[in-house]
Amino acid sequence: MKRPFIQRTLRFDPQQFARLEELAEQQGRSVSDMLRLAIAQYISGQQLLSASDLRHLRVAEYTQVALDAIIREEHPELRDTLVLETDRRMERYHGAR
């Protein structure tokens, strides 16, 4: 048994809607089909993005731990300088303090 669709009302910027209609016509789809497709692709992309973000965060943390261990063992005299430079760059390039 096919599940019924939930109906909602949306408001569009006229230029966006005109572009959406144009794309729908080019692809031989209805505007509704285009919207459903766009939402499905967005949701799928968010799930992939989240998994990808987690991988990047894990790699960044691993790299951080590995470099910190190497610096502590082989160049302990540089650690404070590196931490200060990191803080300076975080503030300069990312606005973080």
Side-chain angles (χ1 to χ4, degrees), residues 30-91:
S30 68
V31 170
S32 294
D33 285 341
M34 291 295 290
L35 290 171
R36 283 190 285 275
L37 178 63
I39 291 168
Q41 288 176 340
Y42 176 81
I43 290 170
S44 295
Q46 288 300 314
Q47 290 168 346
L48 292 175
L49 182 61
S50 295
S52 179
D53 286 343
L54 289 175
R55 283 192 300 278
H56 284 118
L57 291 172
R58 184 171 175 79
V59 168
E61 289 301 326
Y62 179 86
T63 303
Q64 168 76 33
V65 170
L67 283 173
D68 199 43
I70 291 167
I71 290 166
R72 283 177 193 253
E73 284 183 24
E74 298 181 18
H75 303 285
E77 74 283 0
L78 294 177
R79 189 170 186 286
D80 289 341
T81 302
L82 292 171
V83 169
L84 288 172
E85 179 62 13
T86 299
D87 291 343
R88 186 187 71 75
R89 289 180 181 203
M90 286 298 294
E91 185 170 352

